[in-house]
Amino acid sequence: MNENDRLSLGKKASWIGIIGNILLTALKAIIGFISGSTAMVADALHSGSDIVATTIVLHGIKISHRPPDQEHHYGHGKAESIVAKIIAIILMITGMGIGLSAYHSLKSPNLTSPDAIAIWAAVLSIVVKEWMYRYTVKIGERIESQALVADAWHHRTDAFSSIAALIGITGAVLGYPILDPIAGIIVAFMIVKAGFSIYLDAINELMDTAPSKEVMDRIKKTTLSVDGVRSVHKIRARKNGNQIYVDLVICVDKYITVEKGHQFAAQAKYNILNTMPNIKDVVIHVDPYPLEDNDHSQEKR
């Protein structure tokens, strides 16, 4: 998939999320206030935070597709990780605010049961937000966008919070008003937990965490498949958004010419880039074989 298609899909998913959340936030806020449901108002605030988060994702995806420049030699791919981190912080702040509000309601001596209309709003929210999650995570995984996947989980936590709200509201309508603020606290906990998980994932990518073992093994195998490459070692890789940058060392017969060694390296780079489309660039250093200390090398068998 080329970068233009990736950007187009990312923008489409973001706009669907923004429009959907605007409609849901308005609906849940109105019904929450009319019905007197603490859990539904908390759920509306959660959907409102989704609007902000998805707007940030939209801008992050646009920035991540900017080409390299004099200040950013490796492009702007990490913008998506930064966006995912911002979303995580928004989620945690939102969750703590909702939890505090629900706690104050729980302590109130004048707890009242909400109207039954809030139940239908919660059901609608569950259906819509679960669909938004499935659609957004599918696109996010397809274009390998950490920011979009984080936003999808934002939708999923909203669906979960609506389930908690539904249970609380239903219980309150049946004569147990204390269940409504308790549901609000449960919603808050789920939101904070999801935000913390997304935050850790974003930190890992910003710390240049290596790709999966499967990716690293495939890089090694592809390199060793080149005739003339006797061994490969010091394979290092890091993610930059959905792209991967690789550095490695190959060993070739020490009696061949420098030009021939360069040809082997060029062929290895070509093979890696053409069989693994997410790899943006490969830097290969050529050493003579055998090395005096090749304990860490991977030789052909």
Side-chain angles (χ1 to χ4, degrees):
M1 179 184 298
N2 62 45
E3 290 300 296
N4 288 334
D5 290 341
R6 183 176 185 272
L7 177 59
S8 177
L9 285 172
K11 288 167 65 176
K12 180 181 177 182
S14 295
W15 275 114
I16 288 175
I18 290 170
I19 294 170
N21 282 318
I22 289 174
L23 296 176
L24 278 177
T25 299
L27 176 67
K28 289 192 283 191
I30 292 171
I31 292 180
F33 282 114
I34 291 175
S35 66
S37 171
T38 302
M40 183 53 63
V41 172
D43 206 18
L45 290 173
H46 189 188
S47 294
S49 73
D50 283 356
I51 299 171
V52 177
T54 305
T55 301
I56 294 172
V57 168
L58 180 60
H59 287 289
I61 290 174
K62 290 179 179 178
I63 292 171
S64 70
H65 284 79
R66 291 178 182 173
D69 54 36
Q70 291 185 350
E71 288 78 31
H72 307 88
H73 297 173
Y74 294 95
H76 300 77
K78 286 193 182 294
E80 293 193 22
S81 300
I82 295 171
V83 164
K85 189 176 178 182
I86 293 172
I87 292 174
I89 293 171
I90 291 174
L91 274 171
M92 288 187 283
I93 292 174
T94 301
M96 288 186 286
I98 291 173
L100 186 62
S101 175
Y103 176 72
H104 288 315
S105 296
L106 186 64
K107 292 178 64 179
S108 172
N110 300 314
L111 281 174
T112 58
S113 297
D115 294 334
I117 190 176
I119 294 175
W120 299 107
V123 171
L124 177 63
S125 176
I126 292 167
V127 173
V128 173
K129 294 300 293 188
E130 179 63 18
W131 177 85
M132 289 172 66
Y133 160 76
R134 291 175 183 271
Y135 174 78
T136 306
V137 79
K138 180 179 179 180
I139 298 298
E141 290 175 349
R142 181 179 175 187
I143 66 176
E144 298 193 43
S145 169
Q146 187 185 35
L148 206 56
V149 170
D151 198 35
W153 277 101
H154 205 166
H155 296 321
R156 171 55 72 83
T157 59
D158 206 358
F160 287 160
S161 71
S162 293
I163 292 173
L166 175 62
I167 295 171
I169 294 166
T170 302
V173 169
L174 293 176
Y176 302 93
I178 196 174
L179 291 178
D180 188 52
I182 288 176
I185 293 173
I186 294 172
V187 169
F189 174 77
M190 293 169 66
I191 295 170
V192 172
K193 183 176 182 296
F196 185 69
S197 177
I198 293 170
Y199 187 87
L200 289 181
D201 288 342
I203 288 293
N204 283 335
E205 186 158 317
L206 289 171
M207 289 292 291
D208 287 340
T209 301
S212 66
K213 183 178 183 299
E214 290 76 16
V215 171
M216 299 299 287
D217 287 344
R218 188 175 173 189
I219 293 170
K220 180 179 71 177
K221 183 177 179 181
T222 303
T223 305
L224 288 172
S225 68
V226 176
D227 289 335
V229 175
R230 304 290 294 274
S231 67
V232 56
H233 61 126
K234 293 183 180 178
I235 304 175
R236 296 179 298 176
R238 60 185 178 85
K239 295 195 69 177
N240 186 34
N242 72 312
Q243 299 174 335
I244 300 172
Y245 288 83
V246 179
D247 298 276
L248 58 86
V249 177
I250 63 172
C251 291
V252 300
D253 190 331
K254 62 182 178 181
Y255 296 109
I256 65 173
T257 64
V258 172
E259 181 181 7
K260 192 65 176 178
H262 176 75
Q263 288 176 0
F264 294 150
Q267 184 62 51
K269 178 176 180 177
Y270 177 85
N271 290 355
I272 292 171
L273 292 177
N274 281 274
T275 58
M276 306 179 70
N278 282 359
I279 295 182
K280 181 68 175 179
D281 193 24
V282 183
V283 176
I284 300 178
H285 178 77
V286 181
D287 275 349
Y289 180 87
L291 291 173
E292 292 183 4
D293 178 12
N294 59 359
D295 291 341
H296 301 290
S297 67
Q298 300 293 329
E299 300 183 15
K300 291 184 177 179
R301 301 298 183 188

